[in-house]
Amino acid sequence: MRPTVTKISGGVASSQPNEFDYRRIQRALEQRRRYRYVTPLLLKTANGYRIQSPCCSRNVDPDGGVIDIALLIFDERKGNWRLLRKDHAVGVWELDSEFPRLAELLAHLSEDAERRFWQ
């Protein structure tokens, strides 16, 4: 089993990912507005979480394969959350916005009024 605390430079332990926030994100994904009929995957990464989902719209993957939706990174130095979205045409993560609290990030991601994440 993978540990929930990740080591960063200087031997200091990172607070992310952790089980409490992992479950909070899972619950928020169940309440999202777009593509509620597919089950997204929530993966732990260094200092955060990555969300993937089947591409049922076929806008990004014509075969309906699993695509990256969002990357949630906690910045220990600033004490805030960074929300990144995937530019699928180029294959790179782009900063969408920063939030002081995870709850605000999850509200933004769940609403996704401009369809930047759930394409």
Side-chain angles (χ1 to χ4, degrees):
M1 176 176 223
R2 185 169 175 233
T4 57
V5 175
T6 306
K7 295 290 182 182
I8 58 175
S9 63
V12 178
S14 172
S15 62
Q16 295 298 333
N18 66 59
E19 287 301 315
F20 180 76
D21 288 333
Y22 182 85
R23 300 222 186 278
R24 285 178 64 196
I25 297 166
Q26 282 183 318
R27 284 191 302 273
L29 289 174
E30 293 170 0
Q31 302 303 315
R32 70 189 182 281
R33 293 196 60 190
R34 304 208 182 275
Y35 301 114
R36 294 190 56 166
Y37 44 87
V38 296
T39 304
L41 304 169
L42 180 59
L43 307 167
K44 295 177 182 179
T45 65
N47 298 327
Y49 310 86
R50 183 171 54 151
I51 301 169
Q52 296 181 322
S53 181
C55 182
C56 51
S57 71
R58 315 257 180 185
N59 290 334
V60 176
D61 182 347
D63 296 325
V66 175
I67 61 168
D68 286 319
I69 301 296
L71 189 60
L72 292 66
I73 303 292
F74 184 69
D75 186 332
E76 292 277 344
R77 290 177 294 123
K78 293 181 181 179
N80 69 2
W81 285 91
R82 298 174 64 209
L83 177 60
L84 293 90
R85 59 186 158 79
K86 190 76 169 259
D87 180 337
H88 295 284
V90 184
V92 298
W93 289 103
E94 295 180 339
L95 180 64
D96 181 79
S97 44
E98 295 186 20
F99 299 89
R101 296 182 12 234
L102 180 58
E104 295 166 356
L105 180 151
L106 294 174
H108 178 75
L109 179 62
S110 294
E111 180 65 27
D112 192 21
E114 297 175 12
R115 292 185 61 186
R116 295 177 149 210
F117 300 94
W118 303 96
Q119 301 176 20

